[in-house]
Amino acid sequence: MYHKESFAAIDDAALRHLGATLPVVRYLVIGANDGLFGDPLIAHTGGANWRGTLFEPVPDSFARLQANYAGRAGARLRRQAVVADAPGGVRTFHSVPTAPVLASFRRDTIESHRKFAGLEDIAAQIVPIEVPCVAVAELVAEADFEPPDVLLTDTEGYDYDLFAAWWPLGWRPAYARIEIAHVGAARRDAIEAELAAADYALFRYDTDVCGLRRDAFPVEDMRVWTLLRDATNVGLNLMAKLAPPPGGKR
């Protein structure tokens, strides 16, 4: 894991580079929530050359997304969930009105948050809703679809399913950020192995992995970002070793 500040700095620098060098930056966000919480794109998508689509199926979150993205001509907002298998149709989604970031097709993933203070009774707070969906294959078939340069998925446990749908299609975004917190170690490792084999540099935070395709960024920038990543990791490991054990003396 890396400090949030280091991860955010690398994110920002990589996205600024794409915005400054690509004539059009095409982005795709699956599980956009309100467009602000944990989303590194909000500082960039106001740029004149940024064009993209943000998917968010929960009505209240979608309304906040609309407010936060108001006036961004390059943004297309869709109140839908993206699913791995076709046809999309209408499916049952699980949300927690008091915790808008907790929404997923995976009820078990939502319930796993019971370990956090204030969410002990989360199972009773889950509200099932029916949401419109579009499958990855259906999205690709749309007349105006183009593979993204920037791709984010944040779907509380459904991210591997989506990765397994879009990766074989040959999408190789310059920047890919995938939530891995709820996909399980084997699936997380599979995602990272595929990215690494395709010559992505990996930057893992506690909940997400960010893959930067090496040929999309200057060599010197990549060197600086990986040094920052590695130095932060060394620092965290050292702090962990120096910290006294919980409830006792070293």
Side-chain angles (χ1 to χ4, degrees), residues 134-195:
V134 60
V136 171
E138 294 168 334
L139 182 62
V140 170
E142 294 178 1
D144 59 350
F145 178 81
E146 295 185 71
D149 304 299
V150 171
L151 172 62
L152 283 77
T153 69
D154 186 345
T155 62
E156 301 296 316
Y158 193 64
D159 301 81
Y160 178 82
D161 304 75
L162 291 171
F163 180 83
W166 65 259
W167 185 259
L169 297 178
W171 300 7
R172 297 296 183 267
Y175 172 107
R177 179 167 170 174
I178 302 164
E179 186 182 51
I180 56 172
H182 307 295
V183 301
R187 289 185 162 190
R188 178 202 67 208
D189 292 346
I191 291 172
E192 294 186 351
E194 291 281 6
L195 291 169

Side-chain angles (χ1 to χ4, degrees), residues 3-216:
H3 280 307
K4 182 178 180 180
E5 293 78 7
S6 297
F7 190 84
I10 295 166
D11 261 346
D12 187 65
L15 293 169
R16 278 191 287 106
H17 172 78
L18 294 176
T21 57
L22 294 181
V24 177
V25 184
R26 297 177 178 86
Y27 64 93
L28 177 63
V29 183
I30 301 174
N33 196 261
D34 64 0
L36 288 178
F37 185 85
D39 192 331
L41 293 190
I42 191 70
H44 303 275
T45 51
N49 61 331
W50 285 74
R51 300 281 185 276
T53 305
L54 300 97
F55 288 90
E56 173 51 52
V58 179
D60 288 347
S61 295
F62 184 76
R64 290 190 291 272
L65 178 66
Q66 287 179 305
N68 291 329
Y69 264 74
R72 299 195 177 207
R76 181 185 182 192
L77 311 182
R78 294 174 59 164
R79 193 176 71 79
Q80 292 175 295
V82 179
V83 294
D85 56 315
V90 175
R91 306 190 188 189
T92 301
F93 203 69
H94 306 283
S95 67
V96 180
T98 57
V101 297
L102 299 181
S104 177
F105 286 115
R106 296 284 305 273
R107 183 184 176 96
D108 60 329
T109 297
I110 304 302
E111 290 188 3
S112 72
H113 289 79
R114 67 172 67 89
K115 61 188 176 183
F116 296 107
L119 296 176
E120 293 85 356
D121 66 340
I122 193 168
Q125 300 181 44
I126 297 174
V127 177
I129 60 174
E130 299 300 301
V131 299
C133 303
V134 60
V136 171
E138 294 168 334
L139 182 62
V140 170
E142 294 178 1
D144 59 350
F145 178 81
E146 295 185 71
D149 304 299
V150 171
L151 172 62
L152 283 77
T153 69
D154 186 345
T155 62
E156 301 296 316
Y158 193 64
D159 301 81
Y160 178 82
D161 304 75
L162 291 171
F163 180 83
W166 65 259
W167 185 259
L169 297 178
W171 300 7
R172 297 296 183 267
Y175 172 107
R177 179 167 170 174
I178 302 164
E179 186 182 51
I180 56 172
H182 307 295
V183 301
R187 289 185 162 190
R188 178 202 67 208
D189 292 346
I191 291 172
E192 294 186 351
E194 291 281 6
L195 291 169
D199 205 25
Y200 282 76
L202 304 182
F203 300 82
R204 191 197 300 171
Y205 185 47
D206 55 352
T207 58
D208 299 359
V209 62
C210 178
L212 302 182
R213 205 184 71 229
R214 293 181 188 275
D215 66 353

Side-chain angles (χ1 to χ4, degrees), residues 221-243:
D221 286 351
M222 289 296 297
R223 184 178 294 114
V224 170
W225 299 337
T226 54
L227 284 173
L228 175 59
R229 177 198 67 187
D230 295 344
T232 304
N233 198 34
V234 168
L236 287 175
N237 289 336
L238 180 60
M239 289 169 61
K241 290 179 179 179
L242 294 175

